[in-house]
Amino acid sequence: MLRDRFPNSRILIYAEDLLGSYSAILMRSFQTNTSSTISFILTGFPEMESLERWLSGLLLLLYAISIVGNVLILFIIKEEQSLHQPMYYFLSLLSVNDLGVSFSTLPTVLASMCFHVPEIVFDACLAQMFFIHFFSWTESGILLAMSFDRYVAICNPLHYSSVLTDTRVAHMGMSIVVRSFCMVFPLPFLLKRLPFCKDNVLTHSYCLHPDLIRLPCGDTTINSMYGLFIVISAFGIDSVLILLSYVLILRSVLAIASREERFKTLNTCVSHISAVLIFYVPMISVSMVHRFVKHAPEYVHKFTSLVYLFVPPMLNPIIYSIKTKEIRRRLHKMLLGTKF
C-alpha cells in the first residue's frame, strides 16, 4: 500500500482514497449493468410436453374470447344510450382492465409456449411484472366500486343519481388507478437493487413478483414484507368492504315485504357477485397452494396461477352479456340482425 510506504505524503494518501472511491463506483456500475443485462428463462408445462400443442391452443382460445368479449362490451356500452349509467361505466373500466391483463401476459405466453422462445431480458420482465400486478390491484378496486354502486342503488335508490354523478364516478376511477400505481410502482426498484446470481429460471411463462423474489442472492426481506403489506392493504381491505356492502344490501333486501321484489332486487347483484367470486376464489387458491401445498406437483402451482390470470378476463364479459338484458339484446341484434 502506498499509504504504508509514504505515511507523510498527503498527495499519495489523497490519490489512494480517490482511487478507492473510483473503484467502488465502478463496482456499483458493473453490478447495475449486470442486473440490467441478465435474462430469465420462462417455463410453460414441461411436465406435460405431449399436451403442449393442446395447451397452447387452449390458451389462445381463452385470449381470443377475452379480447373479443371485452371489446364487444365496450362497444355496446358506448353505442347504447340506455347503458350510460354509473354501473356500466364501472363495467367499462372492468373490461378495459381485463384487456390490460390479457395483453400483459400475451407476448411472453406466445413466445414461450407457441414459438419456443423462453428468454426475457431483466427490464422487460420487470415491466411485465409491473403491469400484471397493476391490473390485478386495479381490478380489486373496480370490484369494490361496483359493490358501492349496488349498495347505493339498493339501499338508497332515491339518492342514486345525486350520489353517483358522472364526475364522482370519474374521480373514483382515477383514485383506483392512482392507488394501484402507487402500490405497484416500488416493486421493480426494490428488485433492481438486488444481485441475481442463481439460475434465473421462472416457474411460469410470465413474470410475477412472488416468482422473482426467489432468485436474488441478496436479502429479500424488504421485498417480501412490502409485497405482504400491499396484498393486505389492497385485497384484504377491498374484500372486507365488499363483504360489508353485501351484508348491508342483504339487510335491506330482507326488509322488503314482497318475495318477488326481494328476488328481483338480488338478481341485480348476481353479475357482480359472480365477478367477485371468479376474481377472489382463484387468487385465494393461488395463495393457499403456495403456502400450504408446497410439495404439490409443479403443474398444480402453474395451473392455479393460469386460472387466476386467464379466467376472470374471459368470464366477466360472458357473465354480463348473459345477465344484462340491454347487452344481450344488442349482441343478438349485432349477430343475427334481429331484435331479441
Side-chain angles (χ1 to χ4, degrees):
M1 294 288 288
L2 293 173
R3 187 173 299 185
D4 296 332
R5 294 179 62 184
F6 303 99
N8 297 322
S9 176
R10 292 184 179 181
I11 295 176
L12 288 177
I13 292 173
Y14 176 75
E16 187 174 346
D17 290 340
L18 188 62
L19 185 61
S21 300
Y22 183 63
S23 300
I25 292 170
L26 283 177
M27 287 299 295
R28 284 198 297 269
S29 175
F30 175 76
Q31 290 174 355
T32 302
N33 291 335
T34 301
S35 68
S36 63
T37 56
I38 62 172
S39 59
F40 297 100
I41 304 298
L42 304 165
T43 56
F45 287 85
E47 312 89 348
M48 306 170 69
E49 191 173 353
S50 59
L51 300 174
E52 191 172 19
R53 287 187 179 180
W54 293 101
L55 287 171
S56 300
L58 177 61
L59 291 177
L60 289 175
L61 178 63
L62 294 179
Y63 274 123
I65 295 172
S66 172
I67 293 169
V68 172
N70 284 294
V71 168
L72 280 174
I73 291 288
L74 289 170
F75 176 78
I76 291 171
I77 292 174
K78 178 181 178 294
E79 294 296 319
E80 195 72 36
Q81 289 294 324
S82 61
L83 299 180
H84 292 182
Q85 302 173 31
M87 174 183 174
Y88 299 105
Y89 294 152
F90 290 129
L91 178 57
S92 298
L93 283 176
L94 186 63
S95 292
V96 170
N97 191 78
D98 285 342
L99 286 171
V101 173
S102 297
F103 285 121
S104 295
T105 57
L106 180 61
T108 53
V109 170
L110 283 177
S112 62
M113 297 194 68
C114 298
F115 301 109
H116 305 289
V117 183
E119 193 171 353
I120 182 172
V121 297
F122 184 74
D123 289 335
C125 190
L126 290 184
Q128 185 183 50
M129 178 204 71
F130 172 85
F131 283 110
I132 289 175
H133 291 296
F134 169 76
F135 288 119
S136 295
W137 263 257
T138 302
E139 182 147 349
S140 179
I142 294 169
L143 291 173
L144 175 60
M146 295 175 85
S147 72
F148 178 71
D149 169 85
R150 291 297 83 209
Y151 165 75
V152 176
I154 293 171
C155 300
N156 296 287
L158 298 177
H159 298 94
Y160 182 78
S161 58
S162 61
V163 172
L164 286 172
T165 62
D166 290 353
T167 303
R168 189 160 293 164
V169 169
H171 287 163
M172 290 172 69
M174 286 301 298
S175 299
I176 292 166
V177 171
V178 170
R179 184 195 73 160
S180 301
F181 180 84
C182 291
M183 285 184 168
V184 181
F185 185 70
L187 292 179
F189 297 99
L190 289 174
L191 277 167
K192 208 170 177 67
R193 68 187 177 86
L194 296 170
F196 286 81
C197 53
K198 299 179 183 178
D199 293 332
N200 296 325
V201 179
L202 299 175
T203 309
H204 307 285
S205 52
Y206 38 80
C207 300
L208 296 176
H209 184 256
D211 206 10
L212 284 169
I213 60 173
R214 297 184 301 104
L215 302 178
C217 306
D219 185 12
T220 60
T221 304
I222 295 175
N223 302 66
S224 299
M225 294 299 293
Y226 183 72
L228 181 62
F229 164 74
I230 58 177
V231 165
I232 293 172
S233 60
F235 295 139
I237 293 174
D238 288 355
S239 58
V240 169
L241 291 175
I242 291 171
L243 181 62
L244 177 62
S245 68
Y246 274 102
V247 169
L248 297 174
I249 288 170
L250 190 60
R251 189 180 68 175
S252 296
V253 169
L254 292 175
I256 300 173
S258 170
R259 182 178 178 181
E260 185 179 343
E261 284 298 317
R262 286 202 299 267
F263 178 79
K264 185 178 179 181
T265 304
L266 281 176
N267 195 45
T268 63
C269 300
V270 170
S271 298
H272 179 253
I273 292 172
S274 301
V276 169
L277 290 176
I278 64 174
F279 176 74
Y280 279 103
V281 170
M283 184 192 69
I284 293 169
S285 301
V286 170
S287 179
M288 295 289 283
V289 166
H290 276 283
R291 282 168 175 77
F292 303 112
V293 198
K294 294 181 179 179
H295 300 294
E298 192 73 25
Y299 65 83
V300 173
H301 296 268
K302 295 178 182 179
F303 179 75
T304 53
S305 177
L306 282 175
V307 170
Y308 167 57
L309 287 174
F310 283 72
V311 171
M314 180 198 67
L315 286 184
N316 283 334
I318 295 174
I319 290 168
Y320 277 94
S321 298
I322 293 172
K323 294 300 298 180
T324 307
K325 184 171 64 175
E326 293 83 356
I327 294 176
R328 191 169 66 244
R329 185 190 300 124
R330 185 61 185 253
L331 270 176
H332 197 275
K333 186 178 179 181
M334 288 171 60
L335 295 174
L336 301 179
T338 58
K339 291 186 178 180
F340 181 67

